[in-house]
Amino acid sequence: PELFPEALQFSIDEQRREYLAVADNPAAPTFANTIEAMEKAGQRLGRVLSIFGVMTDNLSTPEYQALDKEWQPKLSAASDEITLNPQLFQRVETLYNARDTLGLDAKQTRLLTRIYESFVRNGAKLDPQQKVQLSQFNQELASAFSDFNARLLADEGTYTAANAGEMKGVPQDVRDAALAAGKEKGLPPGVYAIRNTRSAVEPVLTFGDNRDLRRRVFQAFTNRGDNGNANDTNAIIAKIVKLRADRARLLGYPSHAHWRMQDTMAKTPERAMDLMQRVWPAAVKRVGEEVADMTALARKQGFKGRIEPWDYRYYQEKVRKARFNLSEEEIKPYFELSNLVNGMFWSAGQLYDLQFKENTGAVPVFHPDVRTFEVTDGKTGKVVGLFYLDTYAREGKRSGAWMTTYRSRAGLLGDDIVLASNNNNFTKPSAGQPVLISLDDASTLFHEFGHAIHYLLVDVNYPSLGGAQRDFVEYPSQVNENWLLTRQVLDRFARHYKTGQPMPTALVDKIKKADTFNQGFATV
């Protein structure tokens, strides 16, 4: 962490000089001396921020949190300095207004249009006084988000303690991991610690027979940031909502949603809401039917109460077992993590000619658990990227699953090697135990890998055209989930961790038959 202040300041100063050189160029604006020059500017800061983001997301110590709080407002100000520079915008606007006469190809026209629209959307046409106010809003938001993330992470670092009796019904591998976590936390012998992360919480909610433990675990997880303690985020959320609304009005939009949706395929909140409202009534109706099924089964088993949120997954699993003779516990022995990683690599080779060869230890990583893989084009043998796989939950790692690019491919910059990473929060097993994951976690594994494939295959000249709108970027990842349950992948890689036998056809058929089970809850 002590290396970052100098790196950040040096990179911000360098970026300022690079953009001022464009803005103050005495020559008339051209696509080359303005748009292409801007595409090349600030590259060092981008690289530093990639690494900074990895540290604050994956290994956030108090030192990194303090850095984040200090530097996020400064980084926001550095970004505004570019967007709100009148000379720079004048050059962009001059080119944009003459775009049909510049002899640009379709990609260059797209790039120019996107840059112009981004400048306008982010305040380039405001008057000087409004620009000062906008930058203040942006810096306050940056600081508020840093506080929010730090408090959320602190709550996710907590745990629910349980004794052996309370853990009845919970799968053995989950119990082993929770017992190891209890030991790591310094709890008395035999006391289990259920980490406040999804992959640790959901097996307890699904299989734990002790209703009070399910309630405690559920409330701890869903009330992250909403529990009146030092990590409470309600006041910060209120501040963020107010700042966003004020900023949107300053920029000429009816709401933050209208401003935020400009650079998406949907374009407006009304169109997005229309899509959701077409799905919502049917999904809610289906949830009602699902709860009725659970209640009927629970009554037969002597439960007289109401199905509460902490009961939902528990009775859902029992209904699935009764209706389809299928349980998550039946699936997990075939879903050993290393085998599934090999399966997702194999399918990427079949579909996209990407080959993955492990080279862990050959390149530096930020934590010993991170594995690395050299990625080559299967047709030519050419190295196209490096893939980092960070699998396990840990202290200081934010929850969820995500993909990061340390570096993207862009012809203009001469960058041809993509550095991509996948980050998950699976529960790390006790020493020597296999990592058995649920069907949901396996889908997540393939989902995030879909993002990595997307960026490993990106081939653009201009770096700004290498990304995707926020409501499109989930498409490649959701498509990749579909390969998990194909017979070709299951036969080769869904093999029982003890016997090595492939998943039986009858079990695959049951999974497929139950595919739409509980989709009301999943959708809502």
Coordinates of all heavy atoms in Angstrom, one line a residue, residues 114-143:
R114 N -19.2 8.6 -29.4 CA -19.2 8.2 -28.0 C -18.5 9.2 -27.1 O -18.9 9.5 -26.0 CB -18.7 6.8 -27.8 CG -19.6 5.7 -28.2 CD -19.1 4.3 -27.9 NE -18.9 4.1 -26.5 CZ -19.8 3.9 -25.6 NH1 -21.1 3.9 -26.0 NH2 -19.5 3.7 -24.3
I115 N -17.3 9.7 -27.5 CA -16.6 10.6 -26.7 C -17.3 11.9 -26.6 O -17.4 12.5 -25.5 CB -15.2 10.8 -27.4 CG1 -14.3 9.6 -27.2 CG2 -14.5 12.1 -26.7 CD1 -13.0 9.6 -27.8
Y116 N -17.9 12.4 -27.7 CA -18.7 13.7 -27.6 C -19.8 13.5 -26.6 O -20.0 14.4 -25.7 CB -19.2 14.1 -29.0 CG -20.1 15.2 -28.9 CD1 -19.7 16.5 -28.8 CD2 -21.5 15.0 -29.0 CE1 -20.6 17.6 -28.7 CE2 -22.4 16.1 -29.0 CZ -22.0 17.3 -28.8 OH -22.9 18.4 -28.8
E117 N -20.6 12.4 -26.8 CA -21.8 12.2 -25.9 C -21.4 12.1 -24.4 O -22.1 12.5 -23.5 CB -22.6 11.0 -26.4 CG -23.3 11.3 -27.7 CD -24.0 10.0 -28.2 OE1 -23.8 8.9 -27.6 OE2 -24.8 10.2 -29.1
S118 N -20.2 11.4 -24.2 CA -19.8 11.3 -22.8 C -19.4 12.6 -22.2 O -19.7 12.9 -21.0 CB -18.6 10.3 -22.8 OG -18.0 10.2 -21.5
F119 N -18.7 13.5 -23.0 CA -18.4 14.8 -22.5 C -19.7 15.6 -22.1 O -19.8 16.2 -21.0 CB -17.6 15.6 -23.5 CG -16.1 15.5 -23.4 CD1 -15.4 14.3 -23.8 CD2 -15.4 16.5 -22.9 CE1 -14.1 14.2 -23.7 CE2 -14.0 16.4 -22.7 CZ -13.3 15.3 -23.1
V120 N -20.7 15.6 -23.0 CA -21.9 16.3 -22.8 C -22.6 15.7 -21.5 O -23.1 16.5 -20.7 CB -22.8 16.3 -24.0 CG1 -24.2 16.9 -23.7 CG2 -22.1 17.0 -25.2
R121 N -22.7 14.4 -21.5 CA -23.5 13.8 -20.4 C -22.8 14.1 -19.1 O -23.5 14.1 -18.0 CB -23.5 12.2 -20.7 CG -24.3 11.4 -19.7 CD -24.5 10.0 -20.2 NE -23.3 9.3 -20.4 CZ -22.8 8.9 -21.6 NH1 -23.5 9.2 -22.7 NH2 -21.7 8.3 -21.7
N122 N -21.5 14.3 -19.1 CA -20.8 14.5 -17.8 C -20.4 16.0 -17.6 O -19.6 16.3 -16.8 CB -19.5 13.6 -17.8 CG -19.9 12.2 -17.6 OD1 -20.3 11.7 -16.6 ND2 -19.7 11.4 -18.7
G123 N -21.2 16.9 -18.2 CA -21.1 18.3 -17.8 C -20.3 19.2 -18.6 O -20.1 20.4 -18.2
A124 N -19.8 18.8 -19.8 CA -18.9 19.7 -20.6 C -19.6 21.0 -21.0 O -18.9 22.0 -21.3 CB -18.4 19.0 -21.8
K125 N -20.9 21.0 -21.1 CA -21.6 22.2 -21.6 C -22.1 23.1 -20.4 O -22.8 24.1 -20.7 CB -22.8 21.8 -22.5 CG -22.4 21.3 -23.8 CD -23.6 21.2 -24.8 CE -23.1 20.9 -26.2 NZ -24.2 20.9 -27.2
L126 N -21.8 22.8 -19.2 CA -22.2 23.6 -18.1 C -21.4 24.9 -18.0 O -20.3 25.0 -18.6 CB -22.0 22.9 -16.8 CG -22.8 21.6 -16.6 CD1 -22.5 20.9 -15.2 CD2 -24.3 21.9 -16.6
D127 N -21.9 25.9 -17.3 CA -21.1 27.2 -17.2 C -20.1 26.9 -16.1 O -20.1 26.0 -15.3 CB -22.0 28.4 -16.9 CG -22.7 28.3 -15.6 OD1 -22.2 27.8 -14.6 OD2 -23.9 28.7 -15.5
P128 N -19.1 27.9 -15.9 CA -18.0 27.6 -15.0 C -18.5 27.4 -13.6 O -17.9 26.5 -12.9 CB -17.2 28.9 -15.1 CG -17.4 29.4 -16.5 CD -18.8 29.0 -16.8
Q129 N -19.5 28.1 -13.1 CA -20.0 28.0 -11.7 C -20.6 26.6 -11.6 O -20.4 25.9 -10.5 CB -21.0 29.1 -11.4 CG -21.4 29.1 -9.9 CD -22.3 30.2 -9.6 OE1 -22.5 31.1 -10.4 NE2 -22.9 30.2 -8.4
Q130 N -21.4 26.2 -12.6 CA -22.0 24.8 -12.5 C -21.0 23.7 -12.5 O -21.1 22.7 -11.9 CB -23.0 24.7 -13.7 CG -24.2 25.5 -13.6 CD -25.0 25.5 -14.9 OE1 -24.5 25.4 -16.0 NE2 -26.4 25.4 -14.7
K131 N -19.9 23.9 -13.3 CA -18.8 22.9 -13.3 C -18.2 22.7 -11.9 O -17.9 21.6 -11.5 CB -17.8 23.3 -14.4 CG -18.2 23.1 -15.8 CD -17.1 23.5 -16.8 CE -17.6 23.3 -18.2 NZ -16.5 23.7 -19.2
V132 N -18.0 23.8 -11.2 CA -17.4 23.7 -9.9 C -18.4 22.9 -9.0 O -17.9 22.1 -8.2 CB -17.2 25.2 -9.3 CG1 -16.8 25.1 -7.8 CG2 -16.1 25.9 -10.0
Q133 N -19.7 23.2 -9.1 CA -20.6 22.5 -8.3 C -20.7 21.0 -8.7 O -20.7 20.1 -7.8 CB -22.0 23.1 -8.5 CG -23.2 22.4 -7.7 CD -23.0 22.5 -6.2 OE1 -23.2 23.6 -5.6 NE2 -22.5 21.5 -5.6
L134 N -20.6 20.7 -9.9 CA -20.6 19.3 -10.4 C -19.4 18.6 -9.9 O -19.6 17.4 -9.4 CB -20.6 19.3 -11.9 CG -20.5 17.9 -12.6 CD1 -21.7 17.0 -12.2 CD2 -20.3 18.0 -14.1
S135 N -18.3 19.2 -9.9 CA -17.1 18.5 -9.5 C -17.2 18.2 -8.0 O -16.7 17.2 -7.5 CB -15.8 19.3 -9.8 OG -14.6 18.6 -9.6
Q136 N -17.8 19.2 -7.2 CA -18.0 19.0 -5.8 C -18.9 17.8 -5.5 O -18.6 16.9 -4.7 CB -18.5 20.2 -5.2 CG -18.7 20.2 -3.7 CD -17.4 20.0 -2.9 OE1 -16.4 20.6 -3.3 NE2 -17.4 19.2 -1.9
F137 N -20.0 17.7 -6.3 CA -20.9 16.6 -6.2 C -20.1 15.2 -6.4 O -20.3 14.3 -5.7 CB -22.0 16.7 -7.2 CG -23.1 17.6 -6.8 CD1 -23.9 18.2 -7.8 CD2 -23.4 18.0 -5.5 CE1 -24.9 19.2 -7.5 CE2 -24.4 18.9 -5.2 CZ -25.1 19.5 -6.2
N138 N -19.3 15.2 -7.5 CA -18.6 14.0 -7.8 C -17.6 13.6 -6.8 O -17.5 12.4 -6.5 CB -17.9 14.2 -9.2 CG -18.9 14.2 -10.4 OD1 -20.0 13.7 -10.3 ND2 -18.4 14.8 -11.5
Q139 N -16.9 14.5 -6.2 CA -16.0 14.2 -5.2 C -16.7 13.7 -3.9 O -16.2 12.8 -3.2 CB -15.1 15.4 -4.9 CG -14.1 15.7 -6.0 CD -13.3 17.0 -5.7 OE1 -12.6 17.1 -4.8 NE2 -13.4 18.0 -6.6
E140 N -17.8 14.3 -3.5 CA -18.5 13.9 -2.4 C -19.1 12.5 -2.6 O -19.1 11.7 -1.6 CB -19.7 14.9 -2.1 CG -19.2 16.2 -1.5 CD -20.4 17.1 -1.2 OE1 -21.4 16.6 -0.5 OE2 -20.4 18.3 -1.5
L141 N -19.5 12.2 -3.8 CA -20.0 10.9 -4.1 C -18.9 9.8 -4.0 O -19.1 8.7 -3.5 CB -20.7 10.8 -5.5 CG -22.1 11.3 -5.6 CD1 -22.5 11.6 -7.0 CD2 -23.0 10.3 -4.9
A142 N -17.7 10.2 -4.5 CA -16.6 9.3 -4.5 C -16.2 8.9 -3.0 O -16.0 7.8 -2.7 CB -15.4 9.9 -5.2
S143 N -16.2 10.0 -2.2 CA -15.9 9.7 -0.8 C -17.0 8.9 -0.1 O -16.7 8.0 0.7 CB -15.8 11.1 -0.1 OG -15.5 10.9 1.3

